[in-house]
Amino acid sequence: MIGLARALARGLGDDLAGVDFNRSPTSAALAHSFKQWVHVAVVDPAITLVANFSAIPAPPGPVAHRLTALVHAGDVRGHVRRFEPERCAMPRGRSALRFDGNELTVVRGVHRLSIDEPALALRARLTMRPVAPPSVLRHLGVRGVFHWAVVPRLHAAGIIEHAGQTYALTDAPAYRDRNWGSFCFGDLSWDWGYIAAPAGGPPCSLVFARLMNAARTRIIEQELLVWWDRSLLASLRDRDLGFECSGAYDGPLTTVPPALALCRPGRATDVPQTVTVLGASSRGRIEVRFARAATARIIVPNDVPNDTRNVRNHARPGITTIYESFGEASIHGRLDDHELAVTGRGFFECVHA
Amino acid sequence: MPDPFARFVSDSLDAIVRDAPGCAAALAVALDAVVLDLVVDDERAVVYRDGHVRAVAAPMAQTSPGIPGRPIVHVATTARTVLDLASGRDELLPAILANRIRVRAAMHDAERLFDVLRLFVEGNARSSAAPGLFAEYHRQVTHESRRST
């Protein structure tokens, strides 16, 4: 049995190695806006940890390597740290990356995440084994192509220490993706989320996303993918889907980095209290509901060039707010022969430029 | 080191010109002819436009730090409030309503203050020098506060 599990992990690891590796811009013309980040989430009932390793151009200097960490354990706390280039390793063509003492590696199909962020009172040592195959998606953005390689479900084990508490995890659901491509913050909006069935629950995971123009007057692309056990059960796209958001959160928010809250004063947001995604195709019907429990926001400066005819021109002022919501989620419906009735925890991100 | 706030603002403005020229240009437009008279505890800094936006330390005893003929926005606060705003422990509107920040100006000039503040923060977010400059200001004012207690 252990041998079989190892063989499965190795097989999934081999699949992953073909899609999830450190990229570099393939077009010199778009290199100024080439962005890449790896997002890992571990969703234990007692604590959710999100770690985002990003490499984003910061003209006139070199690429800026940042780690953004969010922890949801009752309330949400967050932190972002930029690292000197010489303290970072993100070798092209490899999956591994290291930002100072924070590291994410993949060896023989096993992912290892180490986080040491004393400013957030956070330390994590986790191993994660994929239990569903990776998928790659491509979005056509406003100025380029944006790619997304997702490992929808892993089982995480290890410890997370946060704010004086130690959480021991066994087979906690986890999620990982890598995003890369050329686009500017300020050009696009998106809604994106994933749902993880609890440990011991149905072997189901789900992601959904819709990419829009900055004004959100046009949907560029939308999709919903459902995995069951070790295979992709269904993917629904574009006209197969409808998104409905209701309510708007107007309470206090943790802001990362905190000083940028001064650029978005007041409490008004358009963060939905609930999100419903309805899908219907020849495969069947599905209804996904997400109910927000806690939200943090990450604020990043826009990098849309001041002169769009000269993309190397300096960026015009403006910021993008990335709202990260944690909550409860449910999946109901029927796709092919699978009856879906899943409840679990979910994560919803909206970027409404 | 004297005038830590004026030095922090002045060095940050230089960094914004270097690292975020779009924000520097927008800052100059937002401030226009207005002069900001900023009093933080027992220190005064004057922010004005001379090509780019610049900041200089001014004596506390000076009654009108303005440049003749230019409108002035007077702001008084404490280093503690500045640190709390930067760390997210305080918010701008509650701080003003509770008099932790006092603003005295014609309404249309006060509006410029908020645009200038927003662009100053955003410019700093684009500058690799900003964390170091703020850490130095934080170190100086907390050190000063420890010495005086």
Side-chain angles (χ1 to χ4, degrees):
Chain A
M1 194 66 185
I2 292 170
L4 185 65
R6 284 192 179 140
L8 171 66
R10 261 200 306 277
L12 293 174
D14 291 344
D15 288 346
L16 177 69
V19 296
D20 189 351
F21 54 88
N22 299 323
R23 311 282 174 148
S24 56
T26 52
S27 157
L30 293 175
H32 70 282
S33 63
F34 181 80
K35 297 174 176 63
Q36 178 167 214
W37 63 86
V38 178
H39 174 107
V40 179
V42 179
V43 188
D44 185 72
I47 187 168
T48 299
L49 166 66
V50 173
N52 186 297
F53 296 84
S54 64
I56 290 178
V63 166
H65 295 85
R66 292 188 181 89
L67 171 67
T68 305
L70 295 176
V71 180
H72 178 215
D75 60 351
V76 185
R77 293 188 62 204
H79 169 70
V80 61
R81 184 151 69 111
R82 181 174 174 172
F83 300 88
E84 294 300 322
E86 59 272 18
R87 303 191 72 84
C88 298
M90 210 169 168
R92 291 177 192 171
R94 304 283 298 274
S95 291
L97 50 85
R98 177 178 51 76
F99 292 4
D100 204 355
N102 303 288
E103 197 168 31
L104 182 61
T105 62
V106 190
V107 178
R108 296 195 186 100
V110 178
H111 303 235
R112 293 184 195 282
L113 175 67
S114 295
I115 300 282
D116 278 301
E117 285 299 303
L120 192 55
L122 175 66
R123 179 177 176 273
R125 296 288 183 272
L126 296 163
T127 59
M128 297 174 287
R129 294 173 191 276
V131 291
S135 294
V136 180
L137 300 101
R138 287 179 181 79
H139 295 290
L140 293 174
V142 173
R143 288 181 226 276
V145 181
F146 188 51
H147 307 263
W148 182 28
V150 53
V151 186
R153 190 170 178 86
L154 307 95
H155 285 168
I159 58 145
I160 299 174
E161 296 169 0
H162 174 59
Q165 296 241 28
T166 300
Y167 302 84
L169 278 57
T170 308
D171 286 343
Y175 168 95
R176 168 185 173 141
D177 72 19
R178 177 186 296 268
N179 300 263
W180 72 98
S182 291
F183 75 98
C184 294
F185 284 115
D187 261 352
L188 294 173
S189 299
W190 66 76
D191 292 335
W192 162 72
Y194 56 83
I195 294 167
C204 182
S205 46
L206 180 148
V207 300
F208 58 87
R210 65 173 170 173
L211 192 68
M212 297 162 282
N213 64 341
R216 286 185 286 151
T217 54
R218 185 167 65 89
I219 296 171
I220 297 167
E221 197 173 71
Q222 58 186 15
E223 64 231 328
L224 179 151
L225 287 84
V226 190
W227 289 262
W228 191 271
D229 207 0
R230 293 165 198 167
S231 59
L232 179 65
L233 177 61
S235 62
L236 292 87
R237 298 173 193 278
D238 300 328
R239 289 179 189 276
D240 294 343
L241 296 173
F243 281 65
E244 293 173 8
C245 297
S246 64
Y249 177 65
D250 60 359
L253 284 168
T254 297
T255 304
V256 178
L260 278 169
L262 292 165
C263 296
R264 278 282 158 91
R267 295 280 167 89
T269 76
D270 57 358
V271 175
Q273 295 284 13
T274 64
V275 180
T276 305
V277 185
L278 298 164
S281 77
S282 58
R283 309 288 300 278
R285 298 179 63 82
I286 186 168
E287 178 176 332
V288 180
R289 281 182 60 81
F290 170 82
R292 192 198 70 79
T295 302
R297 63 181 176 183
I298 298 163
I299 298 182
V300 294
N302 290 349
D303 56 348
V304 177
N306 211 19
D307 178 356
T308 52
R309 291 162 302 179
N310 174 12
V311 293
R312 295 183 190 285
N313 194 281
H314 54 72
R316 76 170 80 119
I319 54 170
T320 291
T321 307
I322 304 171
Y323 292 98
E324 314 279 20
S325 293
F326 301 82
E328 302 299 320
S330 64
I331 306 167
H332 289 97
R334 186 178 181 83
L335 292 170
D336 293 341
D337 294 331
H338 283 81
E339 197 70 41
L340 301 171
V342 179
T343 55
R345 300 186 73 194
F347 181 85
F348 176 73
E349 175 180 280
C350 57
V351 175
H352 297 169
Chain B
M1 190 178 291
D3 310 316
F5 183 73
R7 182 172 292 271
F8 163 64
V9 176
S10 175
D11 290 349
S12 296
L13 288 167
D14 289 344
I16 291 169
V17 169
R18 187 180 61 243
D19 295 340
C23 281
L27 258 172
V29 171
L31 187 61
D32 198 17
V34 168
V35 174
L36 305 181
D37 172 25
L38 309 175
V39 174
V40 178
D41 293 327
D42 53 358
E43 183 195 346
R44 168 174 265 157
V46 176
V47 177
Y48 62 101
R49 178 178 173 176
D50 178 17
H52 293 302
V53 175
R54 301 173 194 283
V56 292
M60 283 298 285
Q62 191 176 325
T63 52
S64 177
I67 298 169
R70 290 204 189 181
I72 300 177
V73 173
H74 299 275
V75 180
T77 188
T78 63
R80 170 48 55 198
T81 301
V82 172
L83 297 182
D84 285 349
L85 287 170
S87 65
R89 288 190 297 267
D90 200 356
E91 295 177 50
L92 195 56
L93 182 60
I96 291 172
L97 294 177
N99 263 347
R100 293 190 292 277
I101 303 173
R102 281 167 289 147
V103 180
R104 191 159 50 86
M107 186 62 82
H108 57 277
D109 293 330
E111 287 170 7
R112 292 183 180 276
L113 170 69
F114 298 111
D115 287 339
V116 167
L117 174 65
R118 179 175 57 78
L119 288 161
F120 179 77
V121 172
E122 188 186 323
N124 273 300
R126 296 170 185 274
S127 168
S128 57
L133 295 173
F134 184 73
E136 176 60 17
Y137 173 66
H138 187 286
R139 190 192 63 76
Q140 287 191 39
V141 294
T142 49
H143 177 69
E144 205 51 43
S145 128
R146 274 200 299 273
R147 281 202 325 183
S148 63
T149 53

